[in-house]
Amino acid sequence: FYPQFQIGRHSFPSSQIYSCKRGQIGGKLSAAMGTSKKIHYLLMGSFFVYLFTALMMWNFADKSTRGAMLSLGTFSRAFRAPSPAEIALRKKNLTDAVRKHGGSDQQHTIVKNGGDLYVYDEGALYHINTCHLCGTHFNFCTNTFTDGTPSYLTQIELHEESFEREWVTVMPFQCKQIPEISSLGEEGTFVYVTDAQSGVYFVAEENRKYPVSACHPCSPLPNACKGTQHFISMDRVSSPVVAIKNEVLVTYPDARENFSCKIMERLRKRNPFSGRDLMFVRLQYRQSTNVYFRKGKHLHEVNGCTPCKGKPYTVCAEKATSELLALPTFEATKEHVELEGLSFSTAFECSMLPMINKKRAAMFTPYNLTPGGGEKYFLETVHLFQSMGYAVDVFTESYNVCRSKKCILSVADALNVNLDPSSMRFFFNVNSKDKSFEVLKKSRYDMFFLIGNEKIPQYPGIGAYNIFQCQFPFDLANGHVDESSVEALASFDVVWVNSRFTRTWYKEFAIPWTDQLREQNLNLLTAHTTGSVKPGASEKWRRYRWPEVDVLNPPVEVTSLQEESLSAPRDECFLVVVLGRVFQGRQAKGHAIAIELLTLIRDENENMCINLALAGYVMPGHEDYAEGLKKLGEHAKVEFHFNAQRKEIHELLDRATIQWHLTGALNNNDDPASFEHFGISIVESMAKGLIPIVFNKGGPPEIVTADVGRSVDHVDDFVKATVEVLKKSKKERTAMSEAGMERAKMFSEETFIERGSYRLHRGMKEQEIFRRLPAMASWDIEPHTPMRSQKCGQRFECAALIVEFRDHPNFMFSVRNTMANLGVGWKLYIVTLPEVVPALLNGISKALPTAKMRTTAQSLASHGETSYSLMDLAASSEDGSVELLTINESIMMNTDLYSRIFKRHDFWTYFEHHQGVLIFQVDAIMLPKSEFSIYEFVGYDYVGAPWCADNDILKPLLKDKTIKYLVGNGGFSWRSTRSMLECSQKMGYDSPSSEPEDRFFIRCFSTDEMDFEVAPVEVARTFAVEVPCWDLQEEVSKGNIPLGLHATWYYTDMELVDKMLGL
């Protein structure tokens, strides 16, 4: 026989111990020996070999292994190979033990035994000899990623009585067995060493590493020969690139030959043409090397490095402004062309590659790309940009666990995000932040998106338009205001947040920075107004501006949930569900509280049949808490669906009636970060027809309105609210369920794309006006003068009204421009939200320096119509010319608040003592070059910019005579208070929430019982322009400039706008 020696955890054949070859043992032995003496010597020699081996095993073994070796059976089995039956039995026993102790036989499980760690993999245990075996990225001892990313591995403990040493393989664990937790690259990948100068290696057979010269044609480092590498492009090579630490690199054995491209081809049978289309190829053909473009079965020769005029893309990386502007160009040979059966065709044209003709967006995340809420937002934004026609470059840091384009696409697939691989490239950073972003700046991106958990962006905006998405300002009040942080914030055009709750706290904690930016901006505009601006100051306008903080709710998978057929009927007993990750601490989901609430409901309502199900992913390190929950809920027969698959969760929701969302129920009110910031699981439950009951703090109250669920202030109120809902009739509960399913659509992925693209389009167009603000601020405006007997000729007979819920950079100019044109005889009303008051007061003081504002806290009477005040008086000027009103908290969560309040009768009662009001918004401008006066229009009940007759929304309304007028847009409009009061009283209550307020009033004016005078289209054209449906160019050339503009720059070219502005 051929003994297999085991020393410690290593095994090797006996031939490595003594010099006898295997052929000298066995059938030829007796023939070779011949005499008993020789046999005697052989047996004596074998005995000493066995003795030597046993001593070696004892010396290398740990304490527990030595104990096991004292067993004769275990000792003897060390010297013979197990039979197939024994191997099968061992695997079965091990698998049973793993299952019994809470592990998974379907995926890897970390097994602890005494002081030793093992990984369970396919019926065997592999020893882990150090906590960071696969680099510092993952800690096997704690089963956590060092950056805080949750581990999906299960960790169990097998005590000695449940542990068999035979389960341990003689081979140590290899990191490639679980590539997701490893910094190691698989065979056929490049690895980049992030903390050493040695650079790039290629991993081939047996994980042998080949050093790759930075200048090698197959190196993934572009332009490295010239010392300009800052990013690694996943598209430059057909093999993926993995970033590792030097301590991990030493686990790879060295190769015995030098690296060459043939090694890649030998290992992966690499053909750059295989499975690829629409690609550039550098090909040596007929004694010359040229670049071709492959489309289908044809090769089109490319003329020059930058073949598309006006586009920054290049096919020659060394000729690029930076390597990021280069499109991937693959090396190929004549054999490749012949193998694919390609033919040479016409010259390359830019239309052949859509990506070249697309606008360009860059997206950067410092966080690991793994399935989660923040990653869903990030990748849906990639999809948003692609849907708007952008080619997207995704950038990460080198430590990201997702290090290939394929990985990004797999994460997107897991999150149900549809990405177009042909319009996306992937890079990771291999240099310092500052140097890398200098490269990005040179790349001339049209759009840049950054995600973060701080109030101040950690990276500068490098695009023509820049978005910072703050998930929540977890740094709260921390941070120091300095020039670099102020400029970093100023480099972004907008901050996207996930809820109004997050927006409130973001603005609260960012005040020191935004106050400084606002003050710089307003002082600059004031200097332009007074003519005291210093040379070159206008250039700082673009540098010193504060970004608007805009709510764009996270995209939720609603449509697919609602398209699913019911997998199970509702339970006969009412079932309450709690969804959320299972853990203790900040933002805990309240699973334990739910069990106590269930007991209270049952105790107080003996005849009510109600059950509870808890579902969620158990966070690593909180397994004991999960077990404690199971024991706590055992008596109450609570269902537990921990670490359940997606299908199981959906089936659970189909059975349930109510969802409790208890995040923050016992949290400290002084820590806003501990509450739910939005509540994706609430929307998912509503999409499946559940009635949500939520804690009335954080983001959930913005989702749950009274017609779909309940928001409660205290934990005890969950009992009262639940009982109240469940005692409703089935018809009433069905109505709430259906209303919730409809409301869930407002937070769908489709809604995210629609709202996001609309806001980005308008935001980029708005930049054009921001660039002109310094020039417009210097206008010398003469106020309009009324005739003695004309309407609005008396002081405060008429008023101007702006309803603005944002701290908008254009607010100061809009107020100053409008009131300077109207003159001192007009009163100004500003309606806003309470949290915006300080910012707007600052703007008012700069726009109207003579209006000395005084703050107050006065609740305004609502003329007996309601028991509460719709608005509060927050501030007013000493002379009574300005009033700043705030919307009452009780209605702040309504959808489309602007249109809702305009359609309320009690809103217009605040202005009933005026003849009429001029409505203006921050994107409305009264033109100083216009020869028309406001007093030419105040005789009408309504006048606004005309609508277009070919508008797809208005066409059916005109056809069925729902509306009779094409006048018009309400963003800059004159209205009599009489018409507003009567329409809102008679028809405002039944107007759909989705109906814009200006369309509602025109619909009202179009009814037979209403007798109001709407200005003709011809007159309205001289009043204002929004979307020009006539030959505006000709009118302007004749000198017919309208009184005002409302957002016209969104719908026509800026050259025409500049003519009307006089610039």
Side-chain angles (χ1 to χ4, degrees):
F1 60 91
Y2 308 129
Q4 181 81 10
F5 288 94
Q6 181 169 329
I7 300 178
R9 297 185 182 89
H10 305 283
S11 65
F12 33 84
S14 58
S15 59
Q16 295 183 18
I17 296 292
Y18 58 93
S19 60
C20 295
K21 296 181 180 180
R22 296 190 184 190
Q24 294 174 317
I25 304 176
K28 298 181 181 180
L29 183 62
S30 59
M33 298 282 183
T35 65
S36 59
K37 186 175 181 180
K38 291 182 178 179
I39 295 176
H40 175 74
Y41 289 148
L42 175 63
L43 292 175
M44 288 292 293
S46 299
F47 172 76
F48 284 115
V49 169
Y50 284 136
L51 179 63
F52 170 77
T53 303
L55 291 173
M56 292 288 290
M57 292 173 64
W58 184 271
N59 182 57
F60 283 98
D62 55 28
K63 183 177 180 181
S64 59
T65 304
R66 289 178 181 179
M69 287 173 63
L70 294 177
S71 166
L72 180 60
T74 303
F75 185 77
S76 63
R77 282 192 296 269
F79 293 95
R80 68 176 178 84
S83 68
E86 287 177 318
I87 294 175
L89 181 61
R90 288 180 188 179
K91 287 186 176 182
K92 180 181 182 304
N93 291 340
L94 172 58
T95 301
D96 290 344
V98 170
R99 287 176 180 171
K100 180 180 178 181
H101 289 81
S104 172
D105 61 328
Q106 301 297 319
Q107 61 182 17
H108 300 91
T109 297
I110 297 178
V111 178
K112 184 178 181 182
N113 172 249
D116 292 328
L117 282 178
Y118 305 89
V119 169
Y120 169 83
D121 185 15
E122 296 184 353
L125 295 180
Y126 295 82
H127 186 254
I128 304 293
N129 57 20
T130 175
C131 293
H132 295 285
L133 177 65
C134 300
T136 57
H137 173 66
F138 184 79
N139 188 324
F140 282 96
C141 300
T142 60
N143 190 23
T144 57
F145 290 94
T146 52
D147 62 358
T149 302
S151 170
Y152 62 87
L153 300 182
T154 305
Q155 184 169 341
I156 64 173
E157 184 167 0
L158 296 180
H159 298 290
E160 285 300 323
E161 62 271 14
S162 306
F163 191 85
E164 296 289 340
R165 291 289 155 186
E166 296 166 340
W167 294 340
V168 181
T169 65
V170 295
M171 296 298 294
F173 175 76
Q174 297 186 46
C175 296
K176 69 177 182 178
Q177 291 176 250
I178 316 180
E180 295 85 353
I181 66 168
S182 174
S183 301
L184 299 178
E186 298 179 351
E187 295 177 356
T189 63
F190 287 99
V191 296
Y192 178 82
V193 185
T194 59
D195 58 352
Q197 298 296 321
S198 49
V200 180
Y201 292 82
F202 183 75
V203 182
E205 299 94 335
E206 300 178 351
N207 282 340
R208 296 192 178 278
K209 62 177 182 288
Y210 294 78
V212 181
S213 166
C215 298
H216 197 284
C218 292
S219 172
L221 274 174
N223 233 3
C225 310
K226 300 183 179 180
T228 60
Q229 74 272 16
H230 299 278
F231 294 91
I232 286 183
S233 168
M234 300 302 145
D235 291 327
R236 290 194 171 278
V237 290
S238 61
S239 299
V241 183
V242 174
I244 66 172
K245 297 286 187 180
N246 191 54
E247 63 190 64
V248 180
L249 181 69
V250 298
T251 64
Y252 293 82
D254 292 322
R256 299 187 181 92
E257 56 184 303
N258 295 327
F259 172 77
S260 69
C261 298
K262 291 182 179 180
I263 295 175
M264 297 172 60
E265 296 182 15
R266 179 184 74 208
L267 184 66
R268 301 174 60 88
K269 296 181 180 179
R270 177 176 178 263
N271 183 348
F273 292 116
S274 180
R276 294 177 180 271
D277 196 12
L278 304 179
M279 57 180 289
F280 290 101
V281 181
R282 184 174 288 104
L283 175 65
Q284 186 172 0
Y285 188 75
R286 293 177 179 174
Q287 299 182 343
S288 64
T289 301
N290 295 313
V291 175
Y292 295 85
F293 181 74
R294 176 184 176 174
K295 184 176 182 182
K297 289 292 185 178
H298 299 285
L299 292 175
H300 306 268
E301 187 171 0
V302 179
N303 182 21
C305 289
T306 53
C308 298
K309 186 177 181 180
K311 300 293 180 180
Y313 287 111
T314 175
V315 297
C316 310
E318 65 274 10
K319 299 289 183 66
T321 304
S322 79
E323 63 269 18
L324 302 183
L325 294 173
L327 289 165
T329 303
F330 297 94
E331 302 290 336
T333 64
K334 179 182 178 182
E335 289 73 20
H336 290 140
V337 174
E338 294 173 349
L339 184 63
E340 288 288 301
L342 303 181
S343 61
F344 294 91
S345 186
T346 57
F348 168 75
E349 297 178 2
C350 293
S351 59
M352 295 177 180
L353 184 62
M355 186 174 180
I356 281 188
N357 295 309
K358 290 178 180 289
K359 295 170 288 185
R360 305 174 65 243
M363 297 188 60
F364 192 93
T365 175
Y367 310 116
N368 282 324
L369 284 170
T370 56
E375 291 70 32
K376 169 83 169 175
Y377 201 114
F378 183 85
L379 294 175
E380 281 286 5
T381 306
V382 176
H383 176 51
L384 165 62
F385 288 160
Q386 289 182 336
S387 69
M388 295 176 66
Y390 285 82
V392 182
D393 287 348
V394 176
F395 297 90
T396 70
E397 293 286 11
S398 60
Y399 51 73
N400 204 293
V401 297
C402 202
R403 304 182 186 94
S404 69
K405 187 172 177 178
K406 179 180 179 182
C407 177
I408 288 186
L409 295 174
S410 67
V411 172
D413 184 63
L415 294 171
N416 197 37
V417 180
N418 184 25
L419 298 184
D420 178 9
S422 67
S423 292
M424 186 185 79
R425 301 192 298 175
F426 180 41
F427 300 81
F428 66 69
N429 182 18
V430 296
N431 212 318
S432 70
K433 179 185 72 173
D434 294 337
K435 289 183 179 179
S436 298
F437 272 78
E438 282 300 319
V439 173
L440 285 175
K441 285 180 183 179
K442 297 176 182 177
S443 298
R444 294 176 282 174
Y445 284 102
D446 300 288
M447 192 90 70
F448 176 65
F449 179 94
L450 172 70
I451 192 170
N453 285 332
E454 307 85 12
K455 54 186 172 292
I456 304 302
Q458 299 301 298
Y459 302 87
I462 49 85
Y465 189 82
N466 300 290
I467 308 111
F468 174 52
Q469 200 270 315
C470 178
Q471 300 184 94
F472 193 84
F474 285 96
D475 52 348
L476 303 180
N478 298 326
H480 175 66
V481 180
D482 54 25
E483 185 175 358
S484 62
S485 61
V486 171
E487 289 191 14
L489 183 60
S491 67
F492 284 83
D493 296 274
V494 65
V495 175
W496 280 356
V497 292
N498 50 30
S499 64
R500 289 192 64 251
F501 171 75
T502 300
R503 180 176 69 179
T504 297
W505 287 108
Y506 178 88
K507 295 173 79 169
E508 172 75 18
F509 293 125
I511 282 176
W513 288 266
T514 54
D515 277 356
Q516 183 166 332
L517 284 172
R518 186 185 303 105
E519 192 68 19
Q520 290 170 340
N521 263 329
L522 298 183
N523 286 342
L524 181 58
L525 275 186
T526 302
H528 279 284
T529 302
T530 59
S532 59
V533 64
K534 297 179 180 178
S538 59
E539 297 175 4
K540 291 187 177 182
W541 174 257
R542 182 71 181 98
R543 178 185 177 192
Y544 290 110
R545 60 184 302 262
W546 68 99
E548 178 187 347
V549 184
D550 196 7
V551 177
L552 187 61
N553 300 126
V556 183
E557 186 182 348
V558 172
T559 305
S560 59
L561 286 174
Q562 295 185 343
E563 288 176 348
E564 287 181 350
S565 58
L566 285 176
S567 56
R570 302 281 182 204
D571 285 7
E572 292 184 7
C573 281
F574 295 120
L575 179 62
V576 178
V577 170
V578 176
L579 294 175
R581 291 170 297 160
V582 182
F583 66 98
Q584 289 178 299
R586 202 181 201 188
Q587 278 198 309
K589 304 304 178 182
H591 295 88
I593 300 173
I595 298 175
E596 297 180 23
L597 292 176
L598 173 68
T599 303
L600 287 173
I601 292 177
R602 285 175 173 172
D603 290 345
E604 297 175 5
N605 303 269
E606 294 182 359
N607 296 326
M608 181 175 286
C609 185
I610 182 171
N611 293 319
L612 174 67
L614 305 183
Y617 169 74
V618 180
M619 297 288 287
H622 296 265
E623 292 81 6
D624 290 344
Y625 173 64
E627 289 301 315
L629 289 174
K630 291 179 180 179
K631 291 179 181 179
L632 183 65
E634 187 176 0
H635 179 71
K637 296 183 179 179
V638 175
E639 292 183 35
F640 292 92
H641 301 263
F642 291 165
N643 298 328
Q645 297 298 316
R646 178 188 183 87
K647 180 181 178 182
E648 182 180 338
I649 296 297
H650 289 186
E651 291 174 350
L652 176 64
L653 295 178
D654 286 337
R655 294 168 43 214
T657 302
I658 283 181
Q659 185 213 15
W660 284 342
H661 195 82
L662 293 153
T663 304
L666 297 179
N667 288 342
N668 187 344
N669 288 337
D670 295 333
D671 181 18
S674 64
F675 296 105
E676 185 65 73
H677 307 146
F678 176 67
I680 290 177
S681 68
I682 300 172
V683 179
E684 292 173 335
S685 296
M686 288 167 55
K688 291 294 257 182
L690 276 69
I691 299 172
I693 300 177
V694 304
F695 192 54
N696 193 25
K697 286 199 175 175
E702 302 172 38
I703 302 171
V704 181
T705 52
D707 58 330
V708 306
R710 297 291 182 265
S711 297
V712 300
D713 295 320
H714 304 287
V715 176
D716 295 343
D717 295 335
F718 274 85
V719 174
K720 181 180 178 181
T722 303
V723 173
E724 179 255 324
V725 170
L726 294 181
K727 284 186 175 181
K728 288 180 177 291
S729 67
K730 184 176 181 180
K731 181 179 179 180
E732 290 174 314
R733 290 197 305 273
T734 300
M736 294 181 72
S737 175
E738 291 175 350
M741 294 177 72
E742 187 63 29
R743 181 163 175 77
K745 296 176 183 177
M746 296 175 52
F747 308 100
S748 69
E749 297 159 325
E750 294 83 0
T751 301
F752 178 83
I753 296 297
E754 180 183 344
R755 290 178 177 174
S757 57
Y758 173 79
R759 293 177 186 182
L760 288 173
H761 170 76
R762 293 180 74 90
M764 289 183 288
K765 289 287 188 179
E766 191 177 47
Q767 282 186 330
E768 301 292 342
I769 289 300
F770 283 142
R771 295 190 184 101
R772 289 159 174 79
L773 277 178
M776 294 189 295
S778 62
W779 282 342
D780 185 14
I781 299 173
E782 289 290 332
H784 300 188
T785 305
M787 300 294 290
R788 182 173 297 179
S789 59
Q790 230 170 358
K791 184 189 285 189
C792 300
Q794 301 298 316
R795 179 174 170 82
F796 298 164
E797 183 180 356
C798 297
L801 169 64
I802 180 171
V803 179
E804 182 52 61
F805 304 137
R806 302 163 297 175
D807 173 19
H808 199 281
N810 211 30
F811 173 77
M812 172 198 164
F813 169 78
S814 292
V815 168
R816 179 186 177 276
N817 169 257
T818 302
M819 299 313 294
N821 278 279
L822 296 180
V824 295
W826 288 62
K827 185 164 184 172
L828 172 64
Y829 291 97
I830 302 162
V831 177
T832 189
L833 300 177
E835 64 263 28
V836 190
V837 167
L840 297 193
L841 281 174
N842 192 5
I844 295 170
S845 67
K846 303 290 185 181
L848 307 172
T850 60
K852 302 186 183 302
M853 300 296 292
R854 299 176 300 180
T855 57
T856 181
Q858 179 182 347
S859 180
L860 303 178
S862 196
H863 298 274
E865 293 191 11
T866 58
S867 59
Y868 63 90
S869 171
L870 173 66
M871 294 189 290
D872 297 329
L873 180 63
S876 61
S877 62
E878 292 181 357
D879 61 359
S881 62
V882 182
E883 286 189 12
L884 180 60
L885 310 174
T886 57
I887 298 294
N888 190 285
E889 283 285 344
S890 61
I891 70 160
M892 279 175 58
M893 299 308 174
N894 280 341
T895 307
D896 195 4
L897 181 58
Y898 186 94
S899 284
R900 281 285 186 97
I901 65 171
F902 266 70
K903 291 183 281 187
R904 290 180 60 135
H905 181 255
D906 54 349
F907 174 72
W908 290 103
T909 59
Y910 290 106
F911 316 110
E912 62 184 357
H913 53 286
H914 299 289
Q915 289 283 342
V917 293
L918 176 70
I919 306 294
F920 69 102
Q921 297 174 355
V922 291
D923 52 2
I925 301 175
M926 295 187 73
L927 302 173
K929 289 189 67 176
S930 175
E931 296 182 357
F932 299 100
S933 168
I934 183 62
Y935 297 102
E936 298 177 42
F937 305 98
V938 296
Y940 295 100
D941 289 298
Y942 190 95
V943 57
W947 289 322
C948 298
D950 60 354
N951 184 293
D952 291 336
I953 297 176
L954 298 179
K955 276 181 182 179
L957 301 178
L958 289 166
K959 184 177 181 180
D960 63 14
K961 298 188 180 339
T962 300
I963 62 172
K964 299 177 182 177
Y965 308 101
L966 284 171
V967 178
N969 178 263
F972 179 71
S973 57
W974 163 259
R975 314 174 187 205
S976 69
T977 51
R978 181 177 67 92
S979 66
M980 297 293 103
L981 285 164
E982 191 167 343
C983 278
S984 59
Q985 184 177 39
K986 292 184 176 181
M987 298 176 60
Y989 65 90
D990 66 351
S991 170
S993 60
S994 59
E995 183 178 34
E997 59 87 16
D998 48 8
R999 196 189 309 158
F1000 158 74
F1001 283 111
I1002 298 304
R1003 179 168 63 85
C1004 174
F1005 299 153
S1006 300
T1007 58
D1008 294 336
E1009 62 266 28
M1010 294 297 176
D1011 184 22
F1012 297 111
E1013 187 176 4
V1014 178
V1017 170
E1018 294 74 17
V1019 174
R1021 287 178 180 176
T1022 64
F1023 175 79
V1025 178
E1026 186 193 36
V1027 182
C1029 312
W1030 60 97
D1031 193 345
L1032 181 61
Q1033 182 78 46
E1034 183 179 354
E1035 292 296 320
V1036 171
S1037 64
K1038 294 178 181 178
N1040 297 328
I1041 295 175
L1043 175 68
L1045 302 177
H1046 176 238
T1048 315
W1049 42 92
Y1050 298 140
Y1051 310 105
T1052 190
D1053 63 89
M1054 286 306 299
E1055 184 178 352
L1056 180 58
V1057 173
D1058 283 339
K1059 288 182 180 179
M1060 292 185 283
L1061 294 174
L1063 301 178

